[in-house]
Amino acid sequence: MEGILWDQAEISARFSTIGVRHALVAGVEGGQEISNPIRSSYTISGVNTVPDTTLLDPNEAQPFTGTEYTTSVVHTKAKSVGIYFVDTLKLGRLFELSGGARWDRFDTAYNLYQPTPPAGGTVTAAVAPISRLDEQPSYRAALVYKPSTRGSLYFDYGTSWDPDAESLS
């Protein structure tokens, strides 16, 4: 079972301070992701119990005699929240200056359940429950030069990051 629940709210405002026009965007987003993959195997005592067949000429009357068993049930839950803002200042007719910041929080928990396999079944390596919390800001800044209405030239700098636990499941 996989599930994602996410929401985002954003607000924008245009205003002037000391003759400089601003376009401000601010927002918050957050949600949770849940992953519960169930892994199975058909290998008993090192032998694959799924009957052999060919893909070019399969025997459709052949019964399936494979012995399936669950090797692991994983439960991963990640909760995330981010808040951000970007302000763009119009500096005359030719230039704009943008700056912004974002703060993210990523909280993940991972558990692995291993049922007892049948005799000769594959045992998955034991893994202790894991939890991880990542919090970090990121930033961006840009200078935009607009020599004509048909084009612009910009210089941009930004930081970003990936949470360490984003792919646990």
Side-chain angles (χ1 to χ4, degrees):
M1 178 184 90
E2 306 293 318
I4 296 176
L5 176 64
W6 206 261
D7 202 4
Q8 179 178 5
E10 194 170 87
I11 188 167
S12 61
R14 295 186 183 278
F15 58 93
S16 294
T17 57
I18 314 172
V20 177
R21 293 189 345 224
H22 294 259
L24 177 70
V25 177
V28 61
E29 65 181 18
Q32 72 177 14
E33 300 174 53
I34 296 175
S35 178
N36 295 315
I38 298 172
R39 295 182 177 101
S40 301
S41 179
Y42 291 91
T43 303
I44 304 284
S45 298
V47 177
N48 184 351
T49 62
V50 176
D52 290 335
T53 192
T54 67
L55 292 176
L56 297 177
D57 186 24
N59 178 356
E60 294 178 14
Q62 180 182 28
F64 182 81
T65 58
T67 303
E68 179 184 21
Y69 59 94
T70 301
T71 58
S72 66
V73 179
V74 174
H75 176 71
T76 305
K77 185 175 189 178
K79 295 180 281 184
S80 180
V81 65
I83 56 174
Y84 58 91
F85 76 91
V86 176
D87 191 10
T88 301
L89 291 73
K90 186 156 179 75
L91 306 173
R93 187 182 66 79
L94 298 176
F95 291 96
E96 289 181 354
L97 181 65
S98 291
R102 179 182 173 101
W103 177 81
D104 285 286
R105 182 178 200 272
F106 192 78
D107 186 8
T108 304
Y110 172 93
N111 287 301
L112 172 71
Y113 167 69
Q114 298 171 284
T116 303
T122 303
V123 177
T124 306
V127 176
I130 300 170
S131 63
R132 171 128 185 141
L133 176 63
D134 292 311
E135 297 177 314
Q136 189 166 325
S138 54
Y139 309 96
R140 83 175 287 268
L143 176 63
V144 182
Y145 172 58
K146 296 186 172 192
S148 76
T149 57
R150 296 184 193 172
S152 61
L153 179 65
Y154 66 93
F155 303 93
D156 191 40
Y157 173 80
T159 62
S160 65
W161 64 284
D162 290 326
D164 288 336
E166 72 178 341
S167 60
L168 266 180
S169 66

